[in-house]
Amino acid sequence: MPRVSDMKERLTDAAMELIWQNSYGGTSVDAICERAGAKKGSFYYFFKSKSELAAAALEADWNKKKAQMDSMFSPTVPPLERLDHYFDFVHDRLTELQKKCGSILGCPLLSVGSEVSTQDQIVREAIDELLYFGRTRRSGAGTN
């Protein structure tokens, strides 16, 4: 069994992959635990609900990409070059995902948000903060 110290990350990574590929509603806590190599007790040790895990997974995914996005959109890079870099990044990422998953996946924030935003306040608030602020207030890094 994986070390407890990396279990939260394994759960968020598994949730991100499964929710993005299959949808929020089509992904169960059992499937997430199976993908992460976790027992259900480990899931509930870190998260109260699937909603909390989904919000944490979206935030963790954003945090992994943030440095790359900051670099691409640096004020020191000319505006048209920023767009070129971003479109190259998106193209390369979608090509990689198509090879891995067999299909092109959309933006995880918009996909999950459009699916559950009217039904799940925890997920909706996390997506709102990530889209509008690029970070969450829950992590103490938001803007007020």
Side-chain angles (χ1 to χ4, degrees):
M1 179 173 191
R3 294 184 340 233
V4 173
S5 62
D6 69 345
M7 185 52 69
K8 186 173 185 178
E9 182 178 1
R10 293 170 60 89
L11 285 164
T12 57
D13 288 347
M16 190 68 213
E17 288 177 22
L18 291 171
I19 290 170
W20 195 14
Q21 292 174 13
N22 302 317
S23 82
Y24 179 84
T27 300
S28 68
V29 170
D30 288 334
I32 294 166
C33 289
E34 183 179 325
R35 173 75 59 97
K39 296 190 188 274
K40 220 171 195 178
S42 295
F43 170 84
Y44 287 108
Y45 175 79
F46 292 108
F47 305 101
K48 292 179 186 173
S49 65
K50 181 174 130 181
S51 296
E52 283 191 8
L53 172 58
L58 290 164
E59 182 179 349
D61 185 63
W62 170 253
N63 287 334
K64 288 177 184 175
K65 294 176 182 160
K66 187 176 180 332
Q68 190 172 15
M69 292 291 162
D70 286 347
S71 175
M72 272 189 271
F73 290 101
S74 169
T76 62
V77 177
L80 291 177
E81 202 172 309
R82 291 180 213 169
L83 291 173
D84 284 341
H85 291 301
Y86 177 71
F87 291 132
D88 287 343
F89 167 79
V90 170
H91 177 268
D92 294 346
R93 181 73 175 131
L94 291 176
T95 300
E96 175 187 325
L97 284 168
Q98 185 177 27
K99 288 177 185 173
K100 180 181 176 185
C101 305
S103 61
I104 295 175
L105 305 175
C107 171
L109 293 172
L110 298 178
S111 296
V112 174
S114 64
E115 180 183 358
V116 300
S117 67
T118 61
Q119 304 162 11
D120 192 309
Q121 181 177 351
I122 293 169
V123 175
R124 180 181 61 249
E125 287 175 358
I127 291 170
D128 282 350
E129 291 176 8
L130 290 168
L131 286 174
Y132 295 113
F133 301 111
R135 57 187 162 239
T136 65
R137 292 184 196 142
R138 290 179 291 130
S139 67
T143 56
N144 287 330

